[in-house]
Amino acid sequence: MEPMDIVGKSKEDVSLPKATMSKIIKEMLPPDVRVARDAQDLLVECCVEFINLVSSESNEVCSREEKRTIAPEHVLKALEVLGFGEYIEEVYAAYEQHKLDTLDSPKGGKFSGIEMTEEEALAEQQRMFAEARARMNNGMTLQKQSDPDHGFNG
Amino acid sequence: MRQAGTYSAILSGGVSGRTGPHSLPLARIKKIMKRSGDDVKMISGEAPIVFSKACELFIEELTQRAWMMTLQGKRRTLHKEDVAAAVMATDIFDFLVEMVSDSNGTQMAPATKSNISVAER
């Protein structure tokens, strides 16, 4: 696949990773069951089509509510409209779980920053400056040790 | 995530629930979303997360239904025709009818139109 293919000029070019899909498929089945290659490919195509379908509907739901950004609520509504209402509970639970997960990590989510101590922030800042300096020097000497006397008190 | 899906119960004697943390890549999902239409609005960062789970559930359901077709045919290998048969037998998969017919050239008719019904809403 050439680099330009990744940009994708048509719908057909963008698909889902086979390895991940394969795992999801296989986990649903008993271990001794085999899945023909063409069946697997078809399942992936169906999934892409599913995204297309739900995306279109989500887009419409969003328009009807006169919003400019497709939000999770629109997607959930779309699922219901299209007959996939039974997914909603699990999908919503996964969404809530994800929000919790990203809250915990210092780097994740919009609510981070409070978690990082001043020390960590300082270290991070020094590291970034060191990298920038190295780039400026055309990578001649990568300054691993930042000058500890630099006053970064903010 | 170890939530046992609603559909695990359908598959008797098989693997129930999912064990791995496999998630579909959000960037890829977002890309597909953007191409789904000519006039797609901006997509919130959280929307692909919702899609990721929805896709998993979708694939699980389609796989399970296809597998039931395989069992009916007394086989141990899931073939494309089983996927097609599952699509034909399920109302909410109507949007896939063309896709599975196109790949085969002709519509695949299952041996018996199975009475698989999703729980009544």
Side-chain angles (χ1 to χ4, degrees), chain B residues 36-109:
Chain B
S36 66
D38 296 323
D39 191 22
V40 181
K41 298 192 182 301
M42 287 190 293
I43 302 165
S44 84
E46 301 163 313
I49 296 164
V50 171
F51 260 99
S52 178
K53 189 65 187 173
C55 285
E56 279 178 30
L57 296 175
F58 170 75
I59 285 298
E60 285 172 7
E61 182 171 3
L62 185 51
T63 302
Q64 284 200 13
R65 289 174 181 271
W67 169 236
M68 282 189 259
M69 300 299 172
T70 313
L71 286 175
Q72 282 183 21
K74 300 204 199 315
R75 287 173 279 110
R76 295 304 280 184
T77 302
L78 200 155
H79 283 288
K80 195 160 75 165
E81 292 74 27
D82 299 319
V83 179
V87 166
M88 298 305 171
T90 314
D91 282 343
I92 53 173
F93 292 161
D94 274 354
F95 70 100
L96 294 168
V97 166
E98 252 185 55
M99 174 166 283
V100 300
S101 308
D102 278 348
S103 48
N104 293 329
T106 52
Q107 280 204 3
M108 300 301 302

Side-chain angles (χ1 to χ4, degrees), chain A residues 7 15 28 32 70 87, chain B residues 28 35 42 61 64 76 118:
Chain A
V7 175
S15 181
M28 290 312 298
D32 65 322
I70 300 176
Y87 293 2
Chain B
R28 198 80 71 89
R35 290 164 196 286
M42 287 190 293
E61 182 171 3
Q64 284 200 13
R76 295 304 280 184
V118 190

